[in-house]
Amino acid sequence: SCITKELLDSGKTVVYTTSARLFSLYDDIKFNRKQDSGIIERAFEADLLIVDDLGTEYMSKTAEPFWFDLLNTRLLNNKKMIISIINHKGGVGKTMTAHNLGAALALMKKKVLLVDFDPQCNLTTRCGVVVEESDATISNYLHDDEQEFLPKNVNKYLYIIPGADALDADSLEMAAMDDPHEAVNLLK
């Protein structure tokens, strides 16, 4: 990603992993099924931790306290994180997880940006944001990389890029593209 490249080019450390891989690796190390390759330690210490696909994995009873320890340690040390909460299945708690995690972090005076990619816009609604005709939504971000859009301010620490019902059409447009480079350009 662009963020990762910029940080690495400036000498910062970045760890990218999926939540399933992180939790599975932790359990394997804890139960001596694998040697620690240092990824767990690097997850605690990296300048930026990117955890992808939270909510799609099985989380064991041993991995759960590890996850909270990782989050708390990084927060106490002012280490940055990007956490994506993604699952194609409906009704599994993605919106509530994102909202509650974002709200809890904002209460801790951590700056949080929520991005609502759901065409139903439930996260936007849950944050109490009313989208006016002139407001930028995630659809604007996907279609116009020349224009700078500002996220909506929910409170002093919590911001959101509102969802848009046009996302269904955006998804179809991107899925229909034959050229992956064009899809990347659309997402910039």
Side-chain angles (χ1 to χ4, degrees), residues 44-82:
F44 279 91
E45 296 174 358
D47 295 307
L48 174 64
L49 173 64
I50 303 172
V51 179
D52 210 356
D53 297 337
L54 183 65
T56 61
E57 76 293 327
Y58 166 76
M59 187 183 297
S60 70
K61 293 293 184 194
T62 56
E64 190 174 309
F66 158 71
W67 174 240
F68 288 111
D69 183 39
L70 178 61
L71 289 176
N72 287 329
T73 300
R74 291 191 62 81
L75 289 169
L76 290 171
N77 292 314
N78 289 313
K79 299 285 188 173
K80 306 298 182 208
M81 295 177 278
I82 297 174

Short mmCIF file of all heavy atoms in Angstrom, two decimals, residues 44-82:
data_model
loop_
_atom_site.label_atom_id
_atom_site.label_comp_id
_atom_site.label_asym_id
_atom_site.label_seq_id
_atom_site.Cartn_x
_atom_site.Cartn_y
_atom_site.Cartn_z
N PHE A 44 4.38 -6.13 18.30
CA PHE A 44 4.31 -5.21 19.44
C PHE A 44 5.14 -3.95 19.20
O PHE A 44 4.79 -2.89 19.67
CB PHE A 44 4.83 -5.91 20.71
CG PHE A 44 3.82 -6.79 21.38
CD1 PHE A 44 3.74 -8.13 21.07
CD2 PHE A 44 2.96 -6.27 22.33
CE1 PHE A 44 2.81 -8.96 21.69
CE2 PHE A 44 2.02 -7.08 22.96
CZ PHE A 44 1.95 -8.43 22.63
N GLU A 45 6.25 -4.06 18.46
CA GLU A 45 7.22 -2.97 18.39
C GLU A 45 7.21 -2.15 17.12
O GLU A 45 7.76 -1.05 17.10
CB GLU A 45 8.63 -3.55 18.60
CG GLU A 45 8.79 -4.15 19.98
CD GLU A 45 10.13 -4.85 20.15
OE1 GLU A 45 10.92 -4.91 19.19
OE2 GLU A 45 10.37 -5.35 21.26
N ALA A 46 6.63 -2.64 16.04
CA ALA A 46 6.68 -1.93 14.75
C ALA A 46 6.03 -0.55 14.87
O ALA A 46 5.13 -0.33 15.68
CB ALA A 46 5.95 -2.74 13.68
N ASP A 47 6.52 0.37 14.04
CA ASP A 47 5.94 1.72 14.02
C ASP A 47 4.48 1.69 13.57
O ASP A 47 3.66 2.46 14.05
CB ASP A 47 6.75 2.63 13.10
CG ASP A 47 8.17 2.85 13.62
OD1 ASP A 47 8.29 3.25 14.80
OD2 ASP A 47 9.12 2.62 12.87
N LEU A 48 4.16 0.78 12.65
CA LEU A 48 2.79 0.61 12.18
C LEU A 48 2.47 -0.87 12.11
O LEU A 48 3.24 -1.65 11.53
CB LEU A 48 2.58 1.24 10.80
CG LEU A 48 1.21 1.01 10.14
CD1 LEU A 48 0.09 1.66 10.95
CD2 LEU A 48 1.21 1.51 8.70
N LEU A 49 1.35 -1.26 12.68
CA LEU A 49 0.84 -2.63 12.58
C LEU A 49 -0.43 -2.59 11.75
O LEU A 49 -1.36 -1.84 12.07
CB LEU A 49 0.54 -3.21 13.97
CG LEU A 49 -0.16 -4.57 14.00
CD1 LEU A 49 0.74 -5.65 13.39
CD2 LEU A 49 -0.55 -4.93 15.43
N ILE A 50 -0.46 -3.39 10.69
CA ILE A 50 -1.66 -3.50 9.86
C ILE A 50 -2.21 -4.90 10.06
O ILE A 50 -1.55 -5.89 9.74
CB ILE A 50 -1.35 -3.26 8.37
CG1 ILE A 50 -0.71 -1.88 8.17
CG2 ILE A 50 -2.62 -3.41 7.53
CD1 ILE A 50 -0.19 -1.63 6.77
N VAL A 51 -3.42 -4.98 10.61
CA VAL A 51 -4.09 -6.27 10.82
C VAL A 51 -5.29 -6.29 9.90
O VAL A 51 -6.22 -5.49 10.05
CB VAL A 51 -4.51 -6.47 12.30
CG1 VAL A 51 -5.23 -7.79 12.47
CG2 VAL A 51 -3.30 -6.39 13.22
N ASP A 52 -5.27 -7.20 8.97
CA ASP A 52 -6.30 -7.30 7.94
C ASP A 52 -7.30 -8.39 8.29
O ASP A 52 -6.95 -9.40 8.92
CB ASP A 52 -5.62 -7.63 6.60
CG ASP A 52 -6.35 -7.06 5.41
OD1 ASP A 52 -7.44 -6.47 5.59
OD2 ASP A 52 -5.83 -7.21 4.30
N ASP A 53 -8.53 -8.20 7.87
CA ASP A 53 -9.59 -9.22 7.94
C ASP A 53 -10.02 -9.60 9.35
O ASP A 53 -10.41 -10.74 9.59
CB ASP A 53 -9.19 -10.49 7.19
CG ASP A 53 -8.98 -10.26 5.72
OD1 ASP A 53 -9.53 -9.28 5.20
OD2 ASP A 53 -8.25 -11.04 5.08
N LEU A 54 -9.96 -8.68 10.31
CA LEU A 54 -10.43 -8.99 11.66
C LEU A 54 -11.91 -9.34 11.58
O LEU A 54 -12.69 -8.64 10.95
CB LEU A 54 -10.22 -7.80 12.60
CG LEU A 54 -10.61 -8.04 14.05
CD1 LEU A 54 -9.70 -9.09 14.69
CD2 LEU A 54 -10.55 -6.76 14.85
N GLY A 55 -12.27 -10.44 12.18
CA GLY A 55 -13.67 -10.87 12.17
C GLY A 55 -13.91 -12.07 11.28
O GLY A 55 -14.98 -12.67 11.30
N THR A 56 -12.90 -12.47 10.49
CA THR A 56 -13.07 -13.63 9.62
C THR A 56 -12.43 -14.87 10.23
O THR A 56 -12.61 -15.97 9.73
CB THR A 56 -12.44 -13.39 8.23
OG1 THR A 56 -11.04 -13.16 8.39
CG2 THR A 56 -13.08 -12.23 7.53
N GLU A 57 -11.68 -14.69 11.30
CA GLU A 57 -10.88 -15.77 11.85
C GLU A 57 -11.56 -16.42 13.04
O GLU A 57 -12.45 -15.87 13.66
CB GLU A 57 -9.52 -15.22 12.31
CG GLU A 57 -9.56 -14.44 13.61
CD GLU A 57 -10.31 -13.13 13.55
OE1 GLU A 57 -10.31 -12.48 12.50
OE2 GLU A 57 -10.93 -12.77 14.56
N TYR A 58 -11.06 -17.61 13.37
CA TYR A 58 -11.41 -18.25 14.63
C TYR A 58 -10.41 -17.73 15.66
O TYR A 58 -9.21 -17.74 15.42
CB TYR A 58 -11.31 -19.77 14.52
CG TYR A 58 -11.32 -20.45 15.86
CD1 TYR A 58 -12.51 -20.59 16.57
CD2 TYR A 58 -10.15 -20.92 16.43
CE1 TYR A 58 -12.53 -21.18 17.83
CE2 TYR A 58 -10.15 -21.52 17.68
CZ TYR A 58 -11.34 -21.65 18.36
OH TYR A 58 -11.35 -22.23 19.60
N MET A 59 -10.89 -17.24 16.78
CA MET A 59 -9.99 -16.76 17.82
C MET A 59 -10.09 -17.71 19.01
O MET A 59 -11.15 -17.83 19.64
CB MET A 59 -10.32 -15.34 18.26
CG MET A 59 -9.28 -14.78 19.22
SD MET A 59 -9.62 -13.14 19.88
CE MET A 59 -9.60 -12.14 18.42
N SER A 60 -8.99 -18.37 19.32
CA SER A 60 -8.96 -19.30 20.45
C SER A 60 -9.02 -18.53 21.77
O SER A 60 -8.79 -17.32 21.81
CB SER A 60 -7.68 -20.14 20.39
OG SER A 60 -6.56 -19.32 20.69
N LYS A 61 -9.25 -19.26 22.82
CA LYS A 61 -9.30 -18.66 24.16
C LYS A 61 -7.92 -18.13 24.58
O LYS A 61 -7.83 -17.23 25.40
CB LYS A 61 -9.80 -19.67 25.21
CG LYS A 61 -11.25 -20.06 25.00
CD LYS A 61 -12.16 -18.88 25.26
CE LYS A 61 -13.61 -19.29 25.14
NZ LYS A 61 -14.50 -18.17 25.06
N THR A 62 -6.84 -18.67 24.01
CA THR A 62 -5.51 -18.16 24.35
C THR A 62 -5.16 -16.94 23.50
O THR A 62 -4.43 -16.06 23.96
CB THR A 62 -4.43 -19.24 24.15
OG1 THR A 62 -4.50 -19.73 22.81
CG2 THR A 62 -4.61 -20.37 25.13
N ALA A 63 -5.67 -16.89 22.28
CA ALA A 63 -5.35 -15.76 21.39
C ALA A 63 -6.09 -14.49 21.81
O ALA A 63 -5.60 -13.38 21.56
CB ALA A 63 -5.67 -16.11 19.94
N GLU A 64 -7.25 -14.63 22.43
CA GLU A 64 -8.03 -13.46 22.83
C GLU A 64 -7.28 -12.54 23.79
O GLU A 64 -7.16 -11.34 23.53
CB GLU A 64 -9.36 -13.91 23.42
CG GLU A 64 -10.34 -12.80 23.64
CD GLU A 64 -11.69 -13.33 24.10
OE1 GLU A 64 -12.23 -14.24 23.44
OE2 GLU A 64 -12.18 -12.82 25.12
N PRO A 65 -6.71 -13.06 24.89
CA PRO A 65 -5.94 -12.16 25.77
C PRO A 65 -4.70 -11.61 25.08
O PRO A 65 -4.30 -10.47 25.34
CB PRO A 65 -5.55 -13.03 26.97
CG PRO A 65 -6.11 -14.37 26.75
CD PRO A 65 -6.87 -14.39 25.47
N PHE A 66 -4.09 -12.40 24.18
CA PHE A 66 -2.95 -11.90 23.41
C PHE A 66 -3.36 -10.70 22.57
O PHE A 66 -2.65 -9.69 22.52
CB PHE A 66 -2.40 -13.03 22.51
CG PHE A 66 -1.61 -12.51 21.34
CD1 PHE A 66 -0.36 -11.94 21.53
CD2 PHE A 66 -2.13 -12.58 20.05
CE1 PHE A 66 0.36 -11.44 20.44
CE2 PHE A 66 -1.42 -12.08 18.97
CZ PHE A 66 -0.17 -11.52 19.16
N TRP A 67 -4.52 -10.76 21.90
CA TRP A 67 -5.02 -9.66 21.07
C TRP A 67 -5.20 -8.40 21.90
O TRP A 67 -4.77 -7.32 21.52
CB TRP A 67 -6.30 -10.07 20.36
CG TRP A 67 -6.98 -9.00 19.59
CD1 TRP A 67 -8.25 -8.52 19.79
CD2 TRP A 67 -6.47 -8.26 18.46
NE1 TRP A 67 -8.54 -7.55 18.86
CE2 TRP A 67 -7.47 -7.37 18.03
CE3 TRP A 67 -5.26 -8.26 17.78
CZ2 TRP A 67 -7.29 -6.48 16.97
CZ3 TRP A 67 -5.09 -7.39 16.72
CH2 TRP A 67 -6.10 -6.51 16.33
N PHE A 68 -5.83 -8.53 23.07
CA PHE A 68 -6.05 -7.36 23.93
C PHE A 68 -4.72 -6.82 24.47
O PHE A 68 -4.55 -5.61 24.58
CB PHE A 68 -7.04 -7.68 25.05
CG PHE A 68 -8.44 -7.83 24.55
CD1 PHE A 68 -9.08 -9.06 24.55
CD2 PHE A 68 -9.13 -6.74 24.02
CE1 PHE A 68 -10.36 -9.20 24.06
CE2 PHE A 68 -10.42 -6.86 23.52
CZ PHE A 68 -11.03 -8.10 23.56
N ASP A 69 -3.79 -7.71 24.81
CA ASP A 69 -2.47 -7.27 25.27
C ASP A 69 -1.75 -6.52 24.15
O ASP A 69 -1.14 -5.47 24.40
CB ASP A 69 -1.65 -8.48 25.73
CG ASP A 69 -0.30 -8.08 26.30
OD1 ASP A 69 -0.22 -7.05 27.01
OD2 ASP A 69 0.68 -8.80 26.04
N LEU A 70 -1.83 -7.03 22.93
CA LEU A 70 -1.20 -6.37 21.79
C LEU A 70 -1.78 -4.98 21.57
O LEU A 70 -1.05 -4.00 21.44
CB LEU A 70 -1.37 -7.23 20.53
CG LEU A 70 -0.81 -6.66 19.22
CD1 LEU A 70 0.69 -6.44 19.32
CD2 LEU A 70 -1.15 -7.59 18.06
N LEU A 71 -3.11 -4.89 21.56
CA LEU A 71 -3.77 -3.58 21.39
C LEU A 71 -3.38 -2.62 22.51
O LEU A 71 -2.99 -1.47 22.24
CB LEU A 71 -5.28 -3.73 21.36
CG LEU A 71 -5.91 -4.37 20.13
CD1 LEU A 71 -7.41 -4.52 20.32
CD2 LEU A 71 -5.61 -3.59 18.87
N ASN A 72 -3.50 -3.06 23.74
CA ASN A 72 -3.20 -2.19 24.89
C ASN A 72 -1.74 -1.74 24.91
O ASN A 72 -1.45 -0.58 25.17
CB ASN A 72 -3.55 -2.88 26.21
CG ASN A 72 -5.03 -2.96 26.43
OD1 ASN A 72 -5.78 -2.09 26.00
ND2 ASN A 72 -5.49 -4.01 27.07
N THR A 73 -0.82 -2.66 24.64
CA THR A 73 0.60 -2.31 24.64
C THR A 73 0.90 -1.28 23.56
O THR A 73 1.60 -0.29 23.81
CB THR A 73 1.46 -3.58 24.43
OG1 THR A 73 1.20 -4.49 25.49
CG2 THR A 73 2.94 -3.24 24.41
N ARG A 74 0.34 -1.48 22.37
CA ARG A 74 0.58 -0.54 21.28
C ARG A 74 -0.04 0.82 21.61
O ARG A 74 0.56 1.86 21.34
CB ARG A 74 0.04 -1.09 19.96
CG ARG A 74 0.86 -2.29 19.47
CD ARG A 74 0.51 -2.68 18.06
NE ARG A 74 0.80 -1.61 17.13
CZ ARG A 74 2.00 -1.33 16.62
NH1 ARG A 74 3.05 -2.04 16.97
NH2 ARG A 74 2.15 -0.33 15.78
N LEU A 75 -1.23 0.82 22.20
CA LEU A 75 -1.87 2.09 22.57
C LEU A 75 -1.07 2.83 23.62
O LEU A 75 -0.86 4.05 23.52
CB LEU A 75 -3.29 1.84 23.07
CG LEU A 75 -4.31 1.42 22.02
CD1 LEU A 75 -5.59 0.93 22.67
CD2 LEU A 75 -4.58 2.54 21.04
N LEU A 76 -0.61 2.11 24.64
CA LEU A 76 0.17 2.74 25.70
C LEU A 76 1.49 3.31 25.19
O LEU A 76 2.01 4.28 25.73
CB LEU A 76 0.42 1.75 26.83
CG LEU A 76 -0.81 1.39 27.66
CD1 LEU A 76 -0.49 0.24 28.61
CD2 LEU A 76 -1.33 2.59 28.43
N ASN A 77 2.03 2.69 24.13
CA ASN A 77 3.30 3.14 23.55
C ASN A 77 3.10 4.05 22.34
O ASN A 77 4.06 4.32 21.62
CB ASN A 77 4.16 1.93 23.18
CG ASN A 77 4.64 1.19 24.41
OD1 ASN A 77 5.10 1.80 25.37
ND2 ASN A 77 4.51 -0.12 24.40
N ASN A 78 1.87 4.50 22.14
CA ASN A 78 1.53 5.39 21.02
C ASN A 78 1.98 4.85 19.67
O ASN A 78 2.48 5.58 18.83
CB ASN A 78 2.09 6.79 21.25
CG ASN A 78 1.35 7.50 22.34
OD1 ASN A 78 0.13 7.50 22.37
ND2 ASN A 78 2.08 8.09 23.26
N LYS A 79 1.80 3.56 19.47
CA LYS A 79 2.12 2.93 18.19
C LYS A 79 0.86 2.91 17.33
O LYS A 79 -0.23 2.64 17.81
CB LYS A 79 2.62 1.49 18.40
CG LYS A 79 3.88 1.38 19.23
CD LYS A 79 5.08 1.80 18.43
CE LYS A 79 6.36 1.50 19.19
NZ LYS A 79 7.52 1.75 18.39
N LYS A 80 1.02 3.19 16.06
CA LYS A 80 -0.11 3.30 15.13
C LYS A 80 -0.57 1.93 14.64
O LYS A 80 0.23 1.00 14.53
CB LYS A 80 0.26 4.17 13.93
CG LYS A 80 0.81 5.53 14.30
CD LYS A 80 -0.20 6.35 15.06
CE LYS A 80 0.36 7.73 15.36
NZ LYS A 80 -0.17 8.33 16.53
N MET A 81 -1.87 1.84 14.32
CA MET A 81 -2.45 0.60 13.81
C MET A 81 -3.48 0.91 12.74
O MET A 81 -4.17 1.94 12.81
CB MET A 81 -3.16 -0.17 14.93
CG MET A 81 -2.25 -0.67 16.01
SD MET A 81 -3.16 -1.49 17.34
CE MET A 81 -3.70 -0.08 18.29
N ILE A 82 -3.55 0.02 11.78
CA ILE A 82 -4.65 0.00 10.82
C ILE A 82 -5.30 -1.36 10.98
O ILE A 82 -4.63 -2.39 10.85
CB ILE A 82 -4.16 0.19 9.37
CG1 ILE A 82 -3.51 1.56 9.20
CG2 ILE A 82 -5.32 -0.01 8.38
CD1 ILE A 82 -2.87 1.78 7.84
#
